[in-house]
Amino acid sequence: MAKPSLPPGTRDFSAEVVRKRNYLLNTIRSVFECYGFGPLETPAMEQLDTLMGKYGEEGDKLIFKILNNGLDNPDKEKQTRVALEQVLHGKNSKDLTERALRYDLTIPFARYVATWHQQLPLPFKRYQMQPVWRADRPQKGRYREFYQCDVDVVGSRSLLNELELGCICHTIFSQLQLPDYSLRINHRQLLVALAAQCGIEDQLTIITTAIDKLDKIGLEKVKEELAQKNVSGASIELITSYLQIEGPLATQLDQLRSLLGKQPQAITALEEIEQLIESLQEQEVRAVLDPTLARGLNYYTGTIFEIKAPPRVTMGSIGGGGRYDDLTGLFGVPGLPGVGLSFGVDRIYDVLEELQLFPPDSTQGTKVLFFNLGTAEMKTAFSQLQGLRAKGMAAELYPEPVKFDKQFKYAEKKNIPYIAIIGKEEMEQQKVNVKNIRSGEQRTLSWNDLQTISLNW
Amino acid sequence: MAKPSLPPGTRDFSAEVVRKRNYLLNTIRSVFECYGFGPLETPAMEQLDTLMGKYGEEGDKLIFKILNNGLDNPDKEKQTRVALEQVLHGKNSKDLTERALRYDLTIPFARYVATWHQQLPLPFKRYQMQPVWRADRPQKGRYREFYQCDVDVVGSRSLLNELELGCICHTIFSQLQLPDYSLRINHRQLLVALAAQCGIEDQLTIITTAIDKLDKIGLEKVKEELAQKNVSGASIELITSYLQIEGPLATQLDQLRSLLGKQPQAITALEEIEQLIESLQEQEVRAVLDPTLARGLNYYTGTIFEIKAPPRVTMGSIGGGGRYDDLTGLFGVPGLPGVGLSFGVDRIYDVLEELQLFPPDSTQGTKVLFFNLGTAEMKTAFSQLQGLRAKGMAAELYPEPVKFDKQFKYAEKKNIPYIAIIGKEEMEQQKVNVKNIRSGEQRTLSWNDLQTISLNW
């Protein structure tokens, strides 16, 4: 029989990886909780209607749809035939598929809030850490099942929310030993003002799409793209000046005011940015104004964020987010503004791995393995073992009295740091031989010492 | 626009429920870890081939299949048409669906072990806590997405594994304040011996299926069912004597030996049971021999377990498991025996809920809400707030200076026990008014006291 395989783009996660990922998720979770956010978990499946049309035409194609059960019911043959015919023309039919796997955490969150907004405490502060599924072509670093980790507050326009999201970011990366992250901030209304100043207010997307590529293709190519889209020479010059704004915050703000100060949106946006970044810096958050930050999504209407990995790794963005005016309008509940941040947990995991920042005890499983030397010895070892477990130490007894070599290899494979041996002699003397596998150091302890002294030598 | 709905049989989990479930899962996880088991996580999707044919004909129908993407590709029209035609005849075709959602955790585990057995430390001890999906008709207490929680050790025939699983069960339910659970134990080979003694060794399933219903339909109906299946009167009498065996362990064993002692399987099985239950009782595990325990699955070959909820709730089974000879034979890797236990986390959750056994701090979110009284007051409150958060306390500041009533209702809705108020006067005196919402007790603290004294009055 052929060995079973996994679907392309999916992965098994071994004990070591799950433990490391739990360390990462638990760190993030505890900071979210500290800031008053509560967990939400939504089902893997949503109604197909809920998801379709929310992610653009390309997105729709990448949604995994679930086949209805009972399609072979003879009473339904006609409907099924019609449904099948529709599939050939790229259409989904309720007679074939009514459900799909969630594609992100934002739409399920919006669906939840739209359903329950009258019962929820407002502002509603939730975080959500769950896998999502996308039928993207699998490639290095891109999977069909991956975790997302979102934190949002809806129902409040206060800038305090932005300030707290920045503080959350800072606390998380400090706890993860990545204090040299950076939080880049811009404001969607500055880009709107820039378009207005160029006289192409109705073509904001041309500007944001081009600027979004700056990091990848460079300034000259951005200018070429704008020219191809019929943006005037004078406007391109203005956009170039905008993109070249640098220096400390006060200088950046001065230049932006002289460039865009005639646009009313710019005035408010600059006030908000100034207040926010100054407050963040008072809290020691590494926040900087980055006018070149655009973030493609049209969804955002106010502050926009991007979290960058430390320059010592080549990773780039490890998170982002922003303020939006209308989370739930798509589901018939208008007027609920909010702001959120999404952490790229897979990328942060890779950064921690590359910089070897997972604490050793985050991956520690069993701490000590008792060797099995036969029926009587095993009984003694078991009672010592249960004593250690009762105090919370992860410990094991090899289940069969096989050769030492085999038991030793088991300890090595499982990365168990200590082995404990109780033979005939040790039983008589009420002692135990304990060996640190890595250092080779060996100690003979009384049973009492074993139960009371911690294994950290 | 119509309010969006959830697929039938699926649920959203609010903060309170997620926190309680995490308390339950974390308790179970820490015991598994203590016994040297490591976590495994497998993807939600498996190849359809991996799952089909493993759960019987009924099971196959309840597997959620995922539609392939790109069915409207004109180059593939012919294959797609053939595939669609097959659906009408109840067949799955790779051109329509190649993947499915996992139906349980056992088959993905077997697939994992079959793939990696040469690299894994053997015995391999893993636990897995993940949702599974079944297209069952939704009804009260039965969902299409629910958690399973399995712990297994494969690659060892030692009875020590059974003993440790019993200890795990005991430790978990003691920690959950359910010390009056019971662990019922039987041995598949006793049932084999019973069939042999009746002279219908090849019809074991008739006996196990009938016995499995004893709790539900009573002894008389079981006898009727056996008679309908052409079991002889003498055999039915023998089975009745078997089912009526009661009393303390020694009495039960004596009766079983006199009833089945001529069958070689029974002799070994009774020795194992005696040794196991005595060892378990030495460890204070509430283990009892229950000859009426059959467990439907043909999969089991040795010890079988069932965990029963305390008699003070009407819940019945909250877990079970047993020993099997061959986990991975289905995937071309024979000869890997094992033993496992599955905890019914949804049912255990319901028991803890009914008996109000979730500790109050397992659901505690935000502990204190600072009221927002305006720009200057807010700044002061924010700095006090950040001090508390830095010490790990979950705390919030209401983001807008709205009416007290609205801020108070927010605290009530979120079940926040303390509110803190810093107005003009408190700012001048460097004080804060703190109120316990439930008791109504109010205290005026210095800022220093707020930061150093814990809120537990």
Side-chain angles (χ1 to χ4, degrees), chain A residues 1 12-13 19 21 35-36 41 44 61 65 67 69 81 85 111 156 330 389 400 414, chain B residues 1 12-13 19 21 33 35-36 41 61 65 67 69 81 85 111 145 156 330 389 400 414:
Chain A
M1 178 188 236
D12 287 321
F13 296 97
R19 287 189 181 120
R21 193 170 57 194
Y35 276 77
E41 290 187 15
K61 286 191 186 158
K65 287 114 197 161
L67 210 54
N69 292 75
R81 278 194 185 281
E85 210 52 48
R111 193 254 317 135
S156 163
L330 278 167
R389 285 170 171 168
E400 275 110 9
K414 279 192 87 165
Chain B
M1 177 188 238
D12 288 319
F13 296 97
R19 287 191 181 118
R21 193 170 58 193
E33 290 276 347
Y35 276 76
E41 289 187 16
K61 286 191 187 159
K65 288 114 195 160
L67 209 55
N69 293 75
R81 276 194 186 282
E85 211 51 48
R111 193 255 315 136
E145 173 180 74
S156 165
L330 279 167
R389 284 171 172 169
E400 275 110 10
K414 278 193 87 165

Side-chain angles (χ1 to χ4, degrees), chain B residues 431-449:
Chain B
K431 300 221 157 149
V432 54
N433 269 312
V434 182
K435 183 174 175 176
N436 178 324
I437 293 190
R438 283 161 219 173
S439 71
E441 189 182 339
Q442 204 159 327
R443 294 190 187 178
T444 304
L445 304 177
S446 71
W447 292 350
N448 187 51
D449 282 354

Side-chain angles (χ1 to χ4, degrees), chain A residues 33-38 121-123 125, chain B residues 19 363-371 385 388-389 393-399 406-420 434-440 455:
Chain A
E33 290 275 349
C34 204
Y35 276 77
F37 288 82
L122 283 182
K125 299 167 81 173
Chain B
R19 287 191 181 118
T363 56
Q364 180 64 64
T366 301
K367 191 149 187 195
V368 58
L369 173 72
F370 285 83
F371 273 25
L385 174 72
L388 295 180
R389 284 171 172 169
M393 186 190 291
E396 286 183 65
L397 165 58
Y398 197 88
K406 202 169 172 190
Q407 304 193 41
F408 193 80
K409 282 209 173 114
Y410 176 80
E412 279 189 323
K413 259 195 174 173
K414 278 193 87 165
N415 235 331
I416 300 174
Y418 295 91
I419 56 173
V434 182
K435 183 174 175 176
N436 178 324
I437 293 190
R438 283 161 219 173
S439 71
L455 288 177

Side-chain angles (χ1 to χ4, degrees), chain A residues 2 74 182 206 221 236 255 278 343 379 405 408:
Chain A
S182 75
I206 292 181
K221 296 263 179 200
I236 294 181
Q255 293 184 31
E278 282 178 3
F343 289 83
K379 233 184 142 120
D405 186 44
F408 193 81

